[in-house]
Amino acid sequence: MSEVQHTPAAQGNDAIETRASEWLARDVAEGLNAGAQAELNAWLEESPAHRVSYLRLKAAWAQTDRLAVLRGSDVRSKARPRFWPLQAAAAFLVIAAGASFMVLRQPHDRTFSTPVGGHENVSFADGTKIELNTNTVIRARMTATQRTVWLDKGEAFFRVRHNSAHPFTVIVGNRRVTDLGTEFLVHRLSGQTEVAVVQGRVRLDAPDVQTPAKTALLMKGDVATAISTSLSITTKTSQELSDELAWRRGLLVFKDTSLADAAADFNRYNQQKIVIADPSAARLTIIGTFPTHEVRPFIEVAQSVFGLHVENRGGEIVLSR
Amino acid sequence: MDVALSADPRKAGFGQGMVDRNDMHGKDASRCAGIPMSAGDVDAWFVREVLPLETILMQFLRRNWSNRSDIADLRQEVYVRVYEAAKKQIPHPANAFVLTVARNLLINRVKRERIIPIEAVADLDTLGMAIDQPGPDRVVMARESLRRVQAALDRLSPRARDVVVLKQIEGLSRHEISRQLGISDETVKWHLANAMRTLADILYSEPSDLRRKP
């Protein structure tokens, strides 16, 4: 196909459309004062190409006004439910071990808990879903005007129905996690809180004025570790986050994990605790994927791979060299 | 088919170079309906009657012009000519007029550039069939359009979609959006502008049944 010459007007069409979109975006985002409106009118008058481009973009944008009906409530299309707010919603995991906090209970507060080895799903009317891991206690105050959950103990994965008018927050210790339309994981254990963002963003701050801590805006892959008033942020890959969430599939994923840490993880899910008697054995590292509720595979690895001695002592499984 | 155009193509605002008089042969200006309208009325007519034809127009242009990169420019050129003509007199019916303008534009291009692509000549003859097709069923379009808009949103980039969702569904101000997403006001507007261009292409240029699109 031989080269086709563009007319001078045609050459500028892309630039014209860009300009038109900038004008429209400005009008929609912040409005135009009299001076700006005059400027726009002048630009529209310059050429019919400007005007038709602007009209076209404006008309298409006007079609999106229909989306307003989706605000707030659960509106589903016949084909399948559509929840962009949910797709862009916060999903996060919060783990808190240790002291619970006394808060004046209100009639709307509901408590959910799991025993050791438990795994529960809780769904709320607004579409928010909370998945409780082992040995977890949460209190939820979900009303028309407020959506707050206190994580008193354990670990929970939150998939939040985003609503900017009534933001969803999780209080864990002295920290507060606020949904900004994301998927994230909050994990608190042994006096420290870990917040890992699986998708989107969350805001992490400490609302108590006596605990002056920074406000952090966390993005996908960010992992914040908060201990008391200090806060450090690193990054994890999607794979690493997926491994941390393996418990939702009933699995524990270890990658270069010390036996001591692995045993501690198992102990969260099982009444029968694993004890590593020798400090040197405790430092051995293990790689593998194990079911949360069966210690046998883990014990077998300890025996066959590391040559450890296994003894059942007073209801505990003791590993030693 | 009656097309309300003045007999002289130059007076209808086709612009320079429109030499194909065959189309205009026999058309009588006295059949014109419509009275001169204000600029705002022309705008409203354009949005109401012409933009919904974009799908058909784009199909026609794609089928009859091989150079893909020209298509958007050709479309805009058609719109400019249609708009200019409408400023003098609103043409009825709109679909026949738009496609006639498009056909003449392509013929004009072919002649000026001395290209005679065989496919182009053959397909232009089928213009008669295109004109006879009824315009989009507006009742059906209204019912489907929320779903269409939802499908269009799905195809935006995640960040652009976030901005549109926060603006149009959640009704946030620009300031609130920038705060929520942690981006500057300028970036919000930039995403908005991009989304507007993409949405226009999806909602106007593409066939209403997005599932059939390859």
Side-chain angles (χ1 to χ4, degrees):
Chain A
M1 184 73 189
S2 38
E3 274 299 315
V4 176
Q5 277 183 332
H6 293 270
T7 64
Q11 269 171 347
N13 267 330
D14 207 55
I16 292 173
E17 194 176 88
T18 302
R19 197 82 194 89
S21 71
E22 286 166 359
W23 271 117
L24 187 62
R26 187 173 155 194
D27 189 11
V28 165
E30 59 199 32
L32 301 176
N33 60 23
Q37 186 65 53
E39 217 182 303
L40 170 59
N41 288 341
W43 182 76
L44 292 175
E45 283 297 312
E46 252 175 59
S47 160
H50 297 183
R51 187 177 295 272
V52 300
S53 193
Y54 186 80
L55 282 177
R56 183 173 170 272
L57 294 182
K58 187 169 178 182
W61 179 254
Q63 292 193 34
T64 65
D65 289 340
R66 296 163 209 281
L67 294 170
V69 301
L70 299 174
R71 189 169 301 164
S73 57
D74 290 352
V75 177
R76 298 164 189 263
S77 73
K78 282 183 198 148
R80 63 175 193 272
R82 283 194 200 257
F83 290 115
W84 295 291
L86 194 60
Q87 285 171 11
F92 51 95
L93 177 69
V94 186
I95 302 177
S100 59
F101 291 82
M102 295 302 296
V103 175
L104 196 64
R105 302 201 75 218
Q106 291 181 7
H108 297 295
D109 290 1
R110 294 164 67 191
T111 299
F112 303 93
S113 64
T114 50
V116 168
H119 186 170
E120 294 282 341
N121 281 296
V122 182
S123 295
F124 293 91
D126 68 340
T128 296
K129 296 185 195 302
I130 306 179
E131 199 170 331
L132 306 181
N133 199 2
T134 173
N135 203 15
T136 296
V137 177
I138 66 166
R139 275 174 301 121
R141 185 176 297 167
M142 305 281 277
T143 69
T145 53
Q146 179 188 4
R147 302 190 295 161
T148 306
V149 169
W150 290 264
L151 179 67
D152 293 336
K153 183 170 83 165
E155 176 176 7
F157 182 68
F158 296 80
R159 279 176 301 167
V160 178
R161 176 63 197 274
H162 181 63
N163 183 342
S164 51
H166 307 294
F168 182 91
T169 63
V170 180
I171 311 278
V172 47
N174 63 344
R175 298 282 171 168
R176 175 176 59 188
V177 184
T178 305
D179 158 53
L180 295 178
T182 61
E183 268 194 20
F184 60 95
L185 187 70
V186 180
H187 183 152
R188 181 185 175 191
L189 51 86
S190 305
Q192 78 184 31
T193 300
E194 186 181 290
V195 182
V197 182
V198 175
Q199 188 172 309
R201 294 169 186 264
V202 300
R203 181 170 60 238
L204 177 66
D205 62 4
D208 178 3
V209 292
Q210 289 164 346
T211 316
K214 284 187 223 164
T215 294
L217 199 65
L218 307 177
M219 303 190 323
K220 174 175 177 171
D222 284 348
V223 176
T225 304
I227 302 174
S228 183
T229 57
S230 75
L231 185 69
S232 72
I233 301 176
T234 58
T235 308
K236 284 194 181 174
T237 65
S238 301
Q239 182 61 55
E240 287 167 330
L241 290 175
S242 170
D243 291 345
E244 257 192 71
L245 284 163
W247 59 264
R248 299 180 65 215
R249 306 190 297 277
L251 301 171
L252 289 173
V253 177
F254 301 129
K255 295 200 171 141
D256 268 350
T257 310
S258 72
L259 280 191
D261 287 345
D265 273 345
F266 272 112
N267 290 342
R268 295 176 59 207
Y269 297 90
N270 299 284
Q271 293 284 11
Q272 189 178 37
K273 309 299 179 190
I274 302 171
V275 176
I276 318 269
D278 291 310
S280 61
R283 284 194 294 271
L284 293 168
T285 58
I286 187 170
I287 299 173
T289 302
F290 299 87
T292 54
H293 286 79
E294 278 180 68
V295 296
R296 188 182 307 276
F298 176 74
I299 301 302
E300 280 171 4
V301 166
Q303 275 182 311
S304 57
V305 175
F306 299 109
L308 296 179
H309 179 68
V310 180
E311 193 182 326
N312 197 318
R313 211 188 290 168
E316 292 180 335
I317 301 172
V318 181
L319 302 177
S320 59
R321 281 192 185 271
Chain B
M1 165 155 277
D2 283 356
V3 180
L5 300 166
S6 67
D8 185 342
R10 282 192 296 276
K11 280 189 186 155
F14 285 131
Q16 195 179 0
M18 184 57 70
V19 297
D20 187 349
R21 292 204 176 83
N22 292 335
D23 282 349
M24 302 302 125
H25 184 69
K27 297 297 181 288
D28 186 347
S30 64
R31 291 198 203 136
C32 296
I35 49 177
M37 295 213 169
S38 69
D41 290 333
V42 177
D43 285 2
W45 168 84
F46 188 82
V47 170
R48 197 181 63 244
E49 300 286 338
V50 175
L51 288 176
L53 299 169
E54 183 161 318
T55 309
I56 298 172
L57 172 61
M58 291 296 273
Q59 281 174 358
F60 174 77
L61 291 174
R62 285 192 201 106
R63 246 181 260 136
N64 294 292
W65 196 264
S66 352
N67 191 335
R68 287 284 175 180
S69 58
D70 284 346
I71 300 296
D73 292 339
L74 289 171
R75 177 198 74 212
Q76 291 303 102
E77 186 60 30
V78 168
Y79 283 160
V80 167
R81 294 174 180 212
V82 166
Y83 190 90
E84 294 276 76
K87 280 201 309 197
K88 295 168 170 64
Q89 199 161 270
I90 299 287
H92 294 286
N95 58 348
F97 185 71
V98 169
L99 289 172
T100 303
V101 168
R103 179 185 174 186
N104 283 302
L105 178 63
L106 295 190
I107 292 173
N108 181 47
R109 284 278 184 106
V110 165
K111 286 185 179 174
R112 206 176 59 212
E113 290 151 11
R114 302 180 189 288
I115 302 162
I116 310 179
I118 296 173
E119 309 87 7
V121 169
D123 284 341
L124 288 174
D125 289 341
T126 66
L127 176 63
M129 287 168 51
I131 292 175
D132 288 340
Q133 282 169 9
D137 183 335
R138 286 199 190 83
V139 176
V140 174
M141 273 175 66
R143 255 188 273 125
E144 288 198 347
S145 59
L146 174 59
R147 216 169 300 159
R148 274 201 81 204
V149 174
Q150 288 176 298
L153 268 213
D154 283 344
R155 296 171 57 186
L156 293 178
S157 74
R159 183 49 87 219
R161 179 166 60 240
D162 284 349
V163 171
V164 175
V165 166
L166 292 181
K167 183 95 195 86
Q168 298 297 81
I169 298 182
E170 300 297 333
L172 298 192
S173 71
R174 174 215 61 198
H175 176 67
E176 286 166 341
I177 295 174
S178 64
R179 202 169 54 87
Q180 287 255 341
L181 298 180
I183 57 182
S184 70
D185 288 352
E186 284 307 306
T187 308
V188 170
K189 281 189 286 184
W190 185 81
H191 282 297
L192 209 49
N194 283 342
M196 286 164 168
R197 296 180 62 177
T198 307
L199 285 171
D201 284 342
I202 296 174
L203 291 173
Y204 278 123
S205 291
E206 298 188 358
S208 52
D209 187 349
L210 293 174
R211 284 166 297 170
R212 279 207 284 269
K213 184 173 168 64

